[in-house]
Amino acid sequence: MGWKGILGFEYGIVQGPLGPDIAGPELVAAVANAGGLGLLRAPDWESPDYVKELIRKTRKLTDKPFGVGVILAFPHKENVKAILEEKVAVLQLYWGECSKELVIEAHNAGVKVVPQVGSLEEAKKAINVGVDAIIVQGREAGGHVIGQEGLISLLPRVVDLVGDHGIPVIAAGGIVDARGYVAALALGAKGICMGTRFLATHESYAHPTYKRKLIEYDKTEYTDVFGRARWPGAPHRVLQTPFFCDWKCLNAQENETNQPIIGRTIIHGMEREIRRFAGTVPNPTTTGDIESMVMYAGQSVGLIKEILPAGEVVKKLVEAAQLLIHQTFNPDSI
């Protein structure tokens, strides 16, 4: 079953590379130490020395393997080079064309390549270039959402498409507990990737207010209101905060560039101003009007009742999934 692990990791549980810096060394190391696949998030601009520093900081906190997520929609060539030079276990890719050249380059460095896709067409391309695993993202997912289909319909189609290619399929979008994990396994996935559940952990680098809101609110919406200028054509799922509910019908011509500055933050060592409708979530360095900043979350956020240590999330999930399968789905009970 799924907890036999994937890609050489103890468990088939992946922690999504939460941006822009929420998945930092502390979170990734905690997941790695618990037997899951933790993914750092590379900066959305070229900063190879910083990427190497992130990797080295993580290695000080764990001797287990981990990976780095890169958004291909932003400048990334130097960052990818740094990742391959550091020989992390996994290069995770999103929002762009994963080329055959890149896969070969990664494999030559001993690094596995795992793209996240949101459609059957994208999955086909990934299989053809020889990737090592595929993350299939449903529209339920929090943060930036690449496809239009729900996970329950898209996942089995990708599993059928992969067939006997031997490429593990990893399910993402709306999975926060053992029930979602077991459901994904039943649909043919070999593992799961969770974002929101790992966002709501002690080790995630999200602002305390953001974490608190994940417990407080239980509704999300698929929208394009935030970060239109910086990342055009990138819809996202956010918490329905009072700020969002006031502004969700924002005129399509408007974007963050001419908006008032509502706060300041430090992201990957760079000081930044945050304008209203920016796509930047608050981290612990952020000051200003935190409640008016974007807060990404997946559709199952209502199932998250407490902020937990990340290692406990992994451990509880595996134990509860095993129990669910043995108790509920043993042959006598069906």
Coordinates of all heavy atoms in Angstrom, one line a residue, residues 176-232:
V176 N -6.2 16.1 3.6 CA -5.7 16.6 4.8 C -5.6 15.5 5.9 O -5.0 15.6 6.9 CB -6.4 17.8 5.4 CG1 -6.4 19.0 4.5 CG2 -7.9 17.4 5.8
D177 N -6.3 14.3 5.7 CA -6.4 13.3 6.7 C -6.3 11.9 6.1 O -6.2 11.8 4.9 CB -7.6 13.5 7.6 CG -8.9 13.3 6.9 OD1 -8.9 12.8 5.7 OD2 -10.0 13.7 7.4
A178 N -6.4 10.9 7.0 CA -6.3 9.5 6.5 C -7.3 9.1 5.5 O -7.1 8.3 4.6 CB -6.3 8.6 7.8
R179 N -8.5 9.7 5.7 CA -9.6 9.3 4.7 C -9.2 9.7 3.3 O -9.4 9.0 2.4 CB -10.9 10.0 5.2 CG -11.4 9.4 6.5 CD -12.6 10.2 7.1 NE -12.2 11.6 7.5 CZ -13.0 12.4 8.1 NH1 -14.2 12.1 8.3 NH2 -12.5 13.6 8.4
G180 N -8.7 10.9 3.2 CA -8.3 11.4 1.9 C -7.1 10.6 1.3 O -7.1 10.3 0.1
Y181 N -6.2 10.2 2.2 CA -5.0 9.4 1.8 C -5.5 8.1 1.3 O -5.1 7.7 0.2 CB -4.2 9.3 3.1 CG -2.8 8.6 2.9 CD1 -2.3 8.2 1.7 CD2 -2.1 8.3 4.0 CE1 -1.1 7.6 1.5 CE2 -0.8 7.6 3.9 CZ -0.3 7.3 2.7 OH 0.9 6.7 2.6
V182 N -6.4 7.4 2.0 CA -6.9 6.1 1.6 C -7.7 6.2 0.3 O -7.6 5.3 -0.6 CB -7.7 5.4 2.7 CG1 -8.3 4.1 2.3 CG2 -6.7 5.1 3.9
A183 N -8.5 7.3 0.2 CA -9.3 7.5 -1.0 C -8.3 7.6 -2.2 O -8.6 7.1 -3.3 CB -10.1 8.7 -0.9
A184 N -7.2 8.4 -2.1 CA -6.3 8.5 -3.1 C -5.6 7.2 -3.5 O -5.4 6.9 -4.7 CB -5.2 9.5 -2.7
L185 N -5.3 6.4 -2.5 CA -4.7 5.1 -2.8 C -5.7 4.2 -3.6 O -5.4 3.5 -4.5 CB -4.3 4.3 -1.5 CG -3.2 5.0 -0.7 CD1 -3.0 4.2 0.6 CD2 -1.9 5.1 -1.4
A186 N -7.0 4.3 -3.2 CA -8.1 3.6 -3.9 C -8.2 4.0 -5.4 O -8.5 3.2 -6.2 CB -9.4 3.7 -3.2
L187 N -7.9 5.2 -5.6 CA -8.0 5.8 -7.0 C -6.8 5.5 -7.8 O -6.7 5.8 -9.0 CB -8.2 7.3 -7.0 CG -9.6 7.7 -6.4 CD1 -9.6 9.2 -6.1 CD2 -10.7 7.4 -7.4
G188 N -5.8 4.8 -7.2 CA -4.6 4.4 -7.9 C -3.3 5.2 -7.6 O -2.3 4.9 -8.2
A189 N -3.4 6.2 -6.8 CA -2.2 6.9 -6.4 C -1.3 6.1 -5.6 O -1.7 5.2 -4.8 CB -2.5 8.2 -5.7
K190 N 0.0 6.4 -5.6 CA 1.0 5.7 -4.8 C 1.4 6.5 -3.6 O 2.0 6.1 -2.7 CB 2.3 5.4 -5.6 CG 2.1 4.3 -6.6 CD 2.1 2.9 -6.0 CE 2.1 1.8 -7.1 NZ 0.7 1.5 -7.5
G191 N 1.0 7.8 -3.6 CA 1.3 8.7 -2.5 C 0.4 9.9 -2.6 O -0.4 10.1 -3.5
I192 N 0.6 10.8 -1.6 CA -0.2 12.1 -1.6 C 0.7 13.2 -1.4 O 1.8 13.1 -0.8 CB -1.3 12.1 -0.5 CG1 -0.6 11.8 0.9 CG2 -2.4 11.1 -0.8 CD1 -1.5 12.0 2.1
C193 N 0.3 14.4 -1.8 CA 1.1 15.6 -1.6 C 0.1 16.6 -0.9 O -1.0 16.8 -1.4 CB 1.6 16.2 -2.9 SG 2.4 17.8 -2.7
M194 N 0.5 17.1 0.3 CA -0.4 18.0 1.0 C 0.3 19.4 1.2 O 1.5 19.5 1.5 CB -0.7 17.5 2.4 CG -1.4 16.1 2.4 SD -2.0 15.6 4.0 CE -0.4 15.4 4.9
G195 N -0.5 20.4 1.0 CA 0.0 21.8 1.2 C -0.6 22.4 2.4 O 0.1 22.7 3.4
T196 N -1.9 22.6 2.4 CA -2.6 23.3 3.5 C -2.3 22.6 4.9 O -2.1 23.3 5.9 CB -4.1 23.4 3.3 OG1 -4.3 23.8 1.9 CG2 -4.8 24.3 4.2
R197 N -2.3 21.3 4.9 CA -2.1 20.5 6.2 C -0.7 20.8 6.7 O -0.6 21.0 7.9 CB -2.3 19.0 5.9 CG -2.1 18.1 7.1 CD -3.0 18.4 8.4 NE -2.5 19.4 9.2 CZ -3.0 19.7 10.5 NH1 -4.0 19.0 10.9 NH2 -2.4 20.6 11.2
F198 N 0.3 20.9 5.8 CA 1.6 21.3 6.3 C 1.8 22.8 6.6 O 2.7 23.1 7.3 CB 2.7 20.7 5.4 CG 2.9 19.2 5.5 CD1 2.6 18.4 4.4 CD2 3.4 18.7 6.7 CE1 2.8 17.0 4.5 CE2 3.6 17.3 6.8 CZ 3.3 16.5 5.7
L199 N 1.0 23.6 6.0 CA 1.0 25.0 6.2 C 0.6 25.2 7.7 O 1.2 26.1 8.4 CB 0.0 25.7 5.3 CG -0.4 27.2 5.5 CD1 0.9 28.0 5.2 CD2 -1.5 27.6 4.5
A200 N -0.4 24.4 8.2 CA -0.9 24.5 9.5 C -0.1 23.7 10.5 O -0.6 22.8 11.2 CB -2.4 24.1 9.6
T201 N 1.2 23.9 10.5 CA 2.1 23.2 11.4 C 3.0 24.2 12.1 O 3.2 25.3 11.7 CB 3.1 22.2 10.7 OG1 3.9 22.9 9.7 CG2 2.3 21.1 10.0
H202 N 3.6 23.7 13.2 CA 4.5 24.6 14.0 C 5.7 25.1 13.2 O 6.2 26.2 13.3 CB 5.0 23.9 15.3 CG 3.9 23.6 16.2 ND1 2.9 24.5 16.6 CD2 3.6 22.4 16.9 CE1 2.1 23.9 17.5 NE2 2.5 22.7 17.7
E203 N 6.2 24.2 12.3 CA 7.4 24.5 11.6 C 7.2 25.3 10.3 O 8.2 25.8 9.8 CB 8.2 23.1 11.2 CG 8.6 22.4 12.4 CD 7.6 21.4 13.0 OE1 6.4 21.5 12.6 OE2 8.0 20.5 13.8
S204 N 6.0 25.4 9.8 CA 5.8 26.2 8.6 C 6.1 27.7 8.9 O 5.9 28.1 10.0 CB 4.4 26.0 8.1 OG 3.6 27.1 8.4
Y205 N 6.7 28.3 7.9 CA 7.1 29.7 8.0 C 6.0 30.7 7.7 O 6.3 31.8 7.3 CB 8.4 29.9 7.1 CG 9.2 31.1 7.5 CD1 9.8 31.3 8.8 CD2 9.5 32.2 6.6 CE1 10.5 32.4 9.1 CE2 10.2 33.3 6.9 CZ 10.8 33.4 8.2 OH 11.5 34.4 8.5
A206 N 4.8 30.3 8.0 CA 3.7 31.3 7.8 C 3.5 32.1 9.1 O 3.9 31.7 10.2 CB 2.4 30.5 7.6
H207 N 3.0 33.3 8.9 CA 2.7 34.3 10.0 C 1.7 33.6 10.9 O 0.7 32.9 10.5 CB 2.1 35.6 9.4 CG 2.1 36.7 10.4 ND1 1.1 36.7 11.4 CD2 2.8 37.8 10.6 CE1 1.3 37.8 12.1 NE2 2.3 38.5 11.7
P208 N 1.8 33.8 12.3 CA 0.9 33.2 13.2 C -0.6 33.5 12.9 O -1.4 32.7 13.1 CB 1.3 33.8 14.6 CG 2.7 34.2 14.4 CD 2.9 34.5 12.9
T209 N -0.8 34.7 12.5 CA -2.2 35.1 12.2 C -2.8 34.2 11.0 O -3.9 33.8 11.0 CB -2.3 36.6 11.8 OG1 -1.8 37.4 12.9 CG2 -3.7 37.0 11.4
Y210 N -1.9 34.0 10.0 CA -2.3 33.2 8.9 C -2.6 31.8 9.3 O -3.7 31.2 9.0 CB -1.1 33.2 7.9 CG -1.3 32.4 6.6 CD1 -2.5 31.9 6.1 CD2 -0.2 32.3 5.7 CE1 -2.7 31.3 4.9 CE2 -0.3 31.6 4.5 CZ -1.6 31.1 4.1 OH -1.7 30.4 2.9
K211 N -1.8 31.2 10.2 CA -2.1 29.9 10.7 C -3.4 29.9 11.5 O -4.2 28.9 11.4 CB -0.9 29.4 11.6 CG 0.4 29.2 10.9 CD 1.5 28.6 11.8 CE 2.8 28.6 11.2 NZ 3.9 28.0 11.9
R212 N -3.6 30.9 12.3 CA -4.8 31.0 13.1 C -6.1 31.0 12.2 O -7.1 30.4 12.5 CB -4.8 32.2 14.0 CG -5.7 32.1 15.2 CD -5.4 33.2 16.3 NE -5.5 34.5 15.8 CZ -4.5 35.4 15.7 NH1 -3.3 35.0 16.0 NH2 -4.8 36.6 15.2
K213 N -6.0 31.7 11.1 CA -7.1 31.9 10.2 C -7.5 30.5 9.6 O -8.6 30.3 9.2 CB -6.8 32.9 9.1 CG -6.6 34.3 9.6 CD -7.8 34.9 10.2 CE -7.5 36.3 10.8 NZ -8.6 36.8 11.7
L214 N -6.5 29.7 9.4 CA -6.7 28.3 8.8 C -7.6 27.5 9.7 O -8.4 26.7 9.2 CB -5.4 27.6 8.6 CG -4.4 28.2 7.6 CD1 -3.1 27.5 7.7 CD2 -5.0 28.1 6.2
I215 N -7.5 27.8 11.0 CA -8.4 27.1 12.0 C -9.7 27.8 12.1 O -10.8 27.1 12.2 CB -7.7 27.0 13.4 CG1 -6.2 26.5 13.3 CG2 -8.5 26.2 14.4 CD1 -6.1 25.1 12.8
E216 N -9.7 29.1 12.0 CA -10.9 29.9 12.2 C -11.9 29.8 11.0 O -13.1 29.7 11.3 CB -10.4 31.4 12.3 CG -11.4 32.3 13.0 CD -10.7 33.7 13.2 OE1 -9.6 33.8 13.7 OE2 -11.4 34.6 12.8
Y217 N -11.4 29.8 9.8 CA -12.3 29.8 8.6 C -12.4 28.5 8.0 O -11.4 27.7 8.0 CB -11.8 30.9 7.6 CG -11.8 32.3 8.1 CD1 -10.6 33.0 8.2 CD2 -13.0 32.9 8.5 CE1 -10.7 34.3 8.6 CE2 -13.0 34.2 8.9 CZ -11.9 34.9 9.0 OH -11.9 36.2 9.5
D218 N -13.5 28.2 7.4 CA -13.6 26.9 6.7 C -14.0 26.9 5.3 O -14.3 25.9 4.6 CB -14.5 25.9 7.5 CG -16.0 26.5 7.6 OD1 -16.2 27.6 7.1 OD2 -16.8 25.8 8.3
K219 N -14.1 28.1 4.7 CA -14.5 28.3 3.3 C -13.4 28.9 2.5 O -12.6 29.7 2.9 CB -15.7 29.2 3.2 CG -17.0 28.6 3.7 CD -18.2 29.4 3.3 CE -19.5 28.8 3.7 NZ -19.7 28.9 5.2
T220 N -13.3 28.4 1.3 CA -12.2 28.9 0.3 C -12.9 29.3 -1.0 O -14.1 28.9 -1.2 CB -11.2 27.8 0.0 OG1 -11.8 26.7 -0.7 CG2 -10.5 27.3 1.2
E221 N -12.2 30.0 -1.8 CA -12.7 30.3 -3.1 C -11.6 30.3 -4.2 O -10.5 30.7 -3.9 CB -13.5 31.7 -3.1 CG -14.3 31.9 -4.3 CD -15.4 33.0 -4.2 OE1 -15.9 33.1 -3.0 OE2 -15.6 33.7 -5.1
Y222 N -12.0 29.9 -5.4 CA -11.1 29.9 -6.5 C -11.3 31.2 -7.2 O -12.4 31.7 -7.5 CB -11.6 28.7 -7.5 CG -10.8 28.6 -8.7 CD1 -9.7 27.7 -8.8 CD2 -11.3 29.2 -9.9 CE1 -9.1 27.5 -10.0 CE2 -10.6 29.0 -11.1 CZ -9.5 28.2 -11.2 OH -8.9 28.0 -12.4
T223 N -10.2 32.0 -7.3 CA -10.2 33.4 -7.7 C -9.0 33.8 -8.6 O -8.1 32.9 -8.7 CB -10.3 34.3 -6.5 OG1 -10.4 35.6 -6.9 CG2 -9.1 34.1 -5.6
D224 N -9.0 35.0 -9.0 CA -7.7 35.5 -9.7 C -7.4 36.9 -9.2 O -6.7 37.7 -9.9 CB -7.9 35.5 -11.2 CG -8.7 36.7 -11.7 OD1 -9.5 37.2 -11.0 OD2 -8.5 37.1 -12.9
V225 N -7.9 37.3 -8.0 CA -7.8 38.6 -7.5 C -6.4 39.0 -7.2 O -6.0 40.2 -7.3 CB -8.8 38.8 -6.4 CG1 -8.5 40.1 -5.5 CG2 -10.2 38.9 -6.9
F226 N -5.6 38.1 -6.7 CA -4.3 38.4 -6.1 C -3.1 38.2 -7.1 O -3.1 37.2 -7.8 CB -4.0 37.6 -4.8 CG -5.0 37.9 -3.7 CD1 -6.1 37.0 -3.5 CD2 -4.9 39.0 -2.9 CE1 -7.0 37.3 -2.5 CE2 -5.8 39.2 -1.9 CZ -6.9 38.4 -1.7
G227 N -2.2 39.1 -7.1 CA -0.9 38.9 -7.8 C -1.1 38.9 -9.3 O -0.3 38.2 -10.0
R228 N -2.1 39.6 -9.9 CA -2.4 39.5 -11.3 C -1.2 40.0 -12.1 O -1.0 39.5 -13.2 CB -3.6 40.4 -11.6 CG -4.9 39.7 -11.3 CD -6.1 40.7 -11.5 NE -7.4 40.1 -11.2 CZ -8.5 40.8 -11.0 NH1 -8.5 42.2 -11.2 NH2 -9.6 40.2 -10.8
A229 N -0.5 41.1 -11.7 CA 0.6 41.7 -12.4 C 1.8 40.8 -12.4 O 2.5 40.5 -13.4 CB 0.9 43.0 -11.9
R230 N 2.1 40.2 -11.2 CA 3.4 39.5 -11.1 C 3.3 38.1 -11.7 O 4.2 37.6 -12.3 CB 3.8 39.3 -9.6 CG 5.2 38.9 -9.4 CD 5.5 38.7 -7.9 NE 5.0 37.5 -7.4 CZ 5.6 36.3 -7.4 NH1 6.9 36.3 -7.9 NH2 5.1 35.3 -6.9
W231 N 2.1 37.5 -11.6 CA 1.9 36.1 -12.1 C 0.6 36.1 -12.9 O -0.4 35.6 -12.3 CB 2.0 35.1 -11.0 CG 2.1 33.7 -11.4 CD1 2.1 33.2 -12.7 CD2 2.4 32.6 -10.6 NE1 2.2 31.8 -12.7 CE2 2.5 31.4 -11.4 CE3 2.6 32.4 -9.2 CZ2 2.7 30.1 -10.9 CZ3 2.8 31.1 -8.7 CH2 2.8 30.0 -9.5
P232 N 0.5 36.6 -14.1 CA -0.7 36.7 -14.8 C -1.2 35.3 -15.2 O -0.4 34.4 -15.4 CB -0.4 37.5 -16.1 CG 1.1 37.8 -16.1 CD 1.7 37.2 -14.8

